[in-house]
């Protein structure tokens, strides 16, 4: 039981490049979330999903897109990366209780 | 609406002394309350939660938290701090009247530093 996994762990992008962050969970959770963590800002919700095939916007969705084609996977896409998207990204899942977090992806946009 | 506040950015305590990390919340309905810990370069780990029942909740690594409805607080405590407890601690709240997305609101985090 791996819990929540994220790939990649680190990535450096140039402004304007695109990438996809993958989150996978093996706990059969319905609910999945993408957060970004910046110094002094705490955790901010980007997008979330309440089940396979559904997605919704969170607090800071601009510049990001998501997809939940399979229940166990939640993908976060950056179509045209900007330096303001330099951050640590965390995926989480829950089954109506506490959140289970992945180890994070550290993204730098130059 | 739901909100949570962690009034201290940093708490310093000597090893062996008791520690308290403060959290207050605001909800429309009944609160579901959580504490998480984050070690450097790691994801958040769940410590404990209050849903209903006893006001004193025990969790991982010897931590406990006390739910106080009249003061709308959920402070994290440990009787004897360890240097290895040094980390970032997050309080989170979810309002049971917030609908079906089960989204908690997180505090900004409190950095706990335990001095040898």
């Amino acid at each position: 039981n791996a819990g929540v996994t994220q790939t990649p762990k680190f990535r450096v992008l140039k402004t304007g490049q695109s990438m996809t962050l993958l989150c996978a969970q093996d706990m059969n959770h319905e609910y999945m979330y993408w957060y970004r963590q910046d110094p002094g800002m705490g955790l901010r919700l980007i997008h979330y999903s309440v089940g396979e095939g559904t997605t919704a916007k969170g607090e800071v969705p601009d510049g990001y897109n998501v997809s939940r084609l399979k229940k166990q996977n939640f993908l976060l896409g950056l179509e045209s990366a900007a330096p303001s998207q330099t951050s640590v990204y965390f995926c989480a899942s829950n089954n109506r209780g506490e959140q289970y977090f992945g180890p994070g992806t550290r993204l730098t946009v130059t | 609406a739901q909100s949570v506040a962690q009034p201290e950015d940093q708490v310093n305590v000597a090893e062996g002394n008791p520690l308290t990390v403060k959290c207050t919340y605001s909800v429309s309905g009944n609160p579901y309350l959580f504490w998480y810990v984050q070690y450097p370069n790691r994801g958040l780990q769940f410590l404990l939660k209050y849903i209903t029942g006893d006001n004193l909740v025990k969790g991982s690594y010897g931590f406990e938290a006390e739910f106080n409805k009249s003061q709308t607080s959920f402070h994290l405590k440990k009787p004897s701090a360890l240097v290895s407890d040094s980390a970032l601690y997050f309080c989170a709240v979810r309002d049971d009247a917030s609908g079906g997305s089960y989204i908690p609101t997180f505090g900004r985090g409190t950095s706990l530093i335990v001095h040898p």
Side-chain angles (χ1 to χ4, degrees):
Chain A
N1 191 332
V4 180
T5 58
Q6 292 182 232
T7 53
K9 289 184 169 52
F10 303 94
R11 186 73 186 268
V12 178
L13 286 179
K14 294 186 188 302
T15 297
Q17 288 184 320
S18 63
M19 77 165 294
T20 300
L21 284 69
L22 171 63
C23 175
Q25 52 96 3
D26 61 2
M27 296 171 284
N28 202 35
H29 285 171
E30 289 291 338
Y31 306 93
M32 297 187 74
Y33 312 82
W34 275 107
Y35 295 90
R36 59 179 289 174
Q37 184 179 30
D38 302 290
M41 303 292 288
L43 286 173
R44 292 185 290 171
L45 182 66
I46 305 171
H47 285 280
Y48 65 98
S49 168
V50 300
E52 182 179 319
T54 75
T55 63
K57 294 180 180 179
E59 181 186 354
V60 288
D62 293 343
Y64 305 95
N65 56 75
V66 288
S67 64
R68 183 107 180 263
L69 298 179
K70 293 183 179 180
K71 185 176 184 178
Q72 63 268 32
N73 295 338
F74 195 29
L75 279 63
L76 178 71
L78 287 73
E79 290 186 348
S80 180
S84 61
Q85 294 178 304
T86 293
S87 187
V88 181
Y89 291 86
F90 290 101
C91 176
S93 70
N94 80 46
N95 212 28
R96 306 185 183 187
E98 62 273 19
Q99 302 279 65
Y100 291 79
F101 284 85
T105 295
R106 186 173 295 275
L107 175 65
T108 301
V109 183
T110 61
Chain B
Q2 60 192 35
S3 66
V4 63
Q6 293 181 243
E8 302 153 317
D9 290 335
Q10 186 172 301
V11 170
N12 291 277
V13 64
E15 188 173 32
N17 283 1
L19 70 87
T20 299
V21 183
K22 296 179 180 177
C23 172
T24 59
Y25 68 89
S26 175
V27 295
S28 302
N30 294 309
Y32 294 172
L33 293 154
F34 308 85
W35 275 103
Y36 296 84
V37 60
Q38 184 181 30
Y39 298 102
N41 301 313
R42 304 286 292 273
L44 279 69
Q45 296 176 35
F46 168 72
L47 275 179
L48 51 80
K49 66 182 175 185
Y50 171 84
I51 304 297
T52 186
D54 287 342
N55 289 343
L56 186 63
V57 179
K58 295 188 183 298
S60 306
Y61 311 121
F63 284 93
E64 57 190 28
E66 186 168 12
F67 171 64
N68 187 317
K69 187 172 183 178
S70 62
Q71 297 186 3
T72 62
S73 66
F74 190 57
H75 301 331
L76 182 70
K77 301 182 180 186
K78 188 173 183 182
S80 179
L82 300 172
V83 172
S84 58
D85 291 330
S86 298
L88 193 56
Y89 290 81
F90 289 92
C91 182
V93 67
R94 182 161 57 80
D95 190 338
D96 74 347
S98 63
S101 58
Y102 299 93
I103 300 174
T105 296
F106 286 84
R108 293 191 169 219
T110 298
S111 177
L112 173 67
I113 300 174
V114 182
H115 301 277

